[in-house]
Amino acid sequence: MSNPRIEVDLSKIRHNTQIVVGLLKARGIRVTGVTKAVCGHPAIARAMLDGGAAGLAEARLSNVKRLRQAGMTCPITLIRTPMLSQVDDIVQVCEASYNTEMSVTAALAAAALRQNKVHGVILMVEMGDLREGIMPHDLGDLARRVVDMPGVALKGIGANFACLSGIAPTAAKMQALSMLANDVEGQCGPFIETVSGGNSANLPWATGGHATGRINDLRIGEAILFGVDPVTGDQIGGMYRDAFTLVAEVIETDAKSVHPVVGNADHTLARIRLVPDISKITQIILAIGHQDTDAAGLSMPPGNTLIGATSDHLVIGTKDAALCVGSEMRFQMSYGALMRAMAAPDIQINLRNDRPASIAHRVHGPGKHLALV
Ligand SMILES: *Cc1c(COP(=O)(O)O)cnc(C)c1O
């Protein structure tokens, strides 16, 4: 096995999805699995679907194409406002997209007409996070414009929380979103099929016993991948936190012992700082760096501390005398560390507990390579 690598336990992704799906099903809410942190990795996306996710959502067109190329036929929604320059491809590979700009929606509609398709539009409403979204008082007008636009169909409305401003969704905000769905239906007629209430940060609200109203969808990434509530960082009951493990290799161990960093000026302080353990700390180097991941987002195994990182080196102080050149070290990652590591070309992705071959075959569908034979 080559290093560095990410080990992905797909059975844990399936399990975590099942738990979230079960929690939300009881509240009348379906789960759309968000794959952006794993760059649309098809096997991870498949594990989310196997765990009961109703569909997938992606932020980037390139990741959607990757999913389609792997044979995924499920509905995929683009959750980042589409780029005007990408509308043709978006209509081709996504059933629907989240929209906030009428110029983009009009271009999607024109692209859909050219392709003899109807593209689904979900209007994103600003509810306090101050990232993307239409102001609530403009929603009715814009919804009517979408309804009148051939080539697109108004599929729903959505909101996003706790991304840019860290504003957590409250019961009042969720109720306001429900009311907006009713208002839009009153103003322009069509049934609003999807009311997507937000992301993993909505789970405490969704499972907290509040009325869920019209909210029938949540877009969940982080909670499935990490088994935690992203706002508090607390583990969600029964979920795995360690579906992903980063493995990196030691390339230097015995060159330097680390001495306490104290100035020469104050010898009293120096004496006080000289705790016996410190002399046992060795500085080691691993072959991974900023170019591969977010070094500060790696959780150090007990007995190890992060000293620093550069583009290609991770420097750790360790008490583990057994570590030698060629040893592997294993780390849990933060969301940011995972996101970068999944996109890093030098990191191998190693899948564990994939589905049995017979089922895996069906997943990939009639592959293009078969048609060549
Ligand atoms: C990233 C994102 C999500 C998923 O967020 P998680 O915290 O990973 O659950 C949902 N909706 C939008 C619009 C996003 O950008």
Side-chain angles (χ1 to χ4, degrees):
M1 256 177 294
S2 76
N3 288 324
R5 66 177 187 271
I6 299 171
E7 291 178 359
V8 188
D9 189 331
L10 293 171
S11 67
K12 291 182 178 175
I13 304 282
R14 282 194 292 275
H15 172 89
N16 283 358
T17 310
Q18 277 163 0
I19 300 262
V20 176
V21 167
L23 287 171
L24 293 182
K25 195 172 185 177
R27 314 301 326 279
I29 297 173
R30 65 173 182 252
V31 171
T32 298
V34 178
T35 52
K36 68 188 186 199
V38 293
C39 302
H41 193 291
I44 298 169
R46 173 49 63 187
M48 289 179 174
L49 294 172
D50 288 345
L56 300 174
E58 244 307 326
R60 292 172 192 245
L61 176 65
S62 54
N63 293 341
V64 180
K65 287 182 173 172
R66 181 181 184 194
L67 290 163
R68 291 299 186 214
Q69 269 153 20
M72 312 285 291
T73 53
C74 69
I76 304 181
T77 308
L78 194 70
I79 47 174
R80 184 172 68 183
T81 307
M83 282 187 232
L84 202 49
S85 58
Q86 295 185 332
V87 291
D88 286 292
D89 284 5
I90 288 166
V91 166
Q92 206 180 345
V93 296
C94 300
E95 274 73 14
S97 57
Y98 280 77
N99 280 252
T100 59
E101 289 283 345
M102 281 304 111
S103 57
V104 174
T105 312
L108 288 165
L113 288 176
R114 283 194 293 277
Q115 295 178 34
N116 273 320
K117 283 187 169 176
V118 176
H119 182 72
V121 166
I122 296 169
L123 290 174
M124 185 64 105
V125 192
E126 162 55 39
M127 302 286 291
D129 189 44
L130 299 179
R131 196 177 70 179
E132 74 274 43
I134 295 160
M135 297 313 286
H137 59 263
D138 293 329
L139 182 64
D141 277 355
L142 297 183
R144 165 137 303 286
R145 285 170 65 185
V146 174
V147 169
D148 290 342
M149 227 180 253
V152 288
L154 182 64
K155 282 269 184 263
I157 64 172
N160 198 48
F161 295 91
C163 270
L164 185 63
S165 313
I167 305 281
T170 60
K173 292 238 159 100
M174 289 293 102
Q175 202 185 350
L177 186 65
S178 275
M179 302 283 281
L180 283 172
N182 293 337
D183 291 350
V184 169
E185 282 174 358
Q187 281 175 50
C188 42
F191 172 58
I192 299 292
E193 181 187 281
T194 300
V195 184
S196 188
N199 55 36
S200 296
N202 286 66
L203 287 173
W205 162 79
T207 57
H210 308 283
T212 50
R214 292 289 307 268
I215 314 295
N216 60 5
D217 176 81
L218 287 178
R219 309 171 305 273
I220 306 289
E222 191 169 353
I224 290 174
L225 301 173
F226 288 100
V228 294
D229 167 357
V231 177
T232 60
D234 293 341
Q235 181 167 10
I236 301 171
M239 289 176 79
Y240 291 107
R241 304 192 59 160
D242 59 348
F244 296 88
T245 305
L246 180 67
V247 184
E249 185 170 324
V250 177
I251 54 173
E252 181 184 302
T253 53
D254 51 5
K256 337 169 179 59
S257 279
V258 178
H259 296 291
V261 185
V262 286
N264 292 333
D266 188 343
H267 295 283
T268 328
L269 186 64
R271 252 198 313 279
I272 290 167
R273 288 265 187 109
L274 274 175
V275 287
D277 262 3
I278 274 176
S279 60
K280 293 186 194 139
I281 292 179
T282 307
Q283 176 174 311
I284 62 169
I285 301 177
L286 281 79
I288 191 166
H290 288 313
Q291 197 161 69
D292 310 286
T293 190
D294 173 14
L298 303 181
S299 64
M300 294 294 129
N304 296 276
T305 44
L306 178 66
I307 293 175
T310 59
S311 315
D312 313 294
H313 298 77
L314 188 72
V315 182
I316 288 176
T318 187
K319 291 180 191 168
D320 185 352
L323 285 170
C324 56
V325 168
S327 294
E328 290 181 346
M329 283 187 77
R330 304 170 68 81
F331 305 92
Q332 298 304 305
M333 290 173 277
S334 68
Y335 184 91
L338 173 70
M339 189 181 69
R340 274 169 62 183
M342 288 298 296
D346 281 340
I347 298 190
Q348 190 193 67
I349 294 164
N350 204 259
L351 303 172
R352 300 279 165 98
N353 298 318
D354 204 348
R355 308 195 317 160
S358 59
I359 305 174
H361 186 73
R362 182 162 55 79
V363 169
H364 296 293
K368 289 213 175 67
H369 59 284
L370 291 178
L372 291 174
V373 185

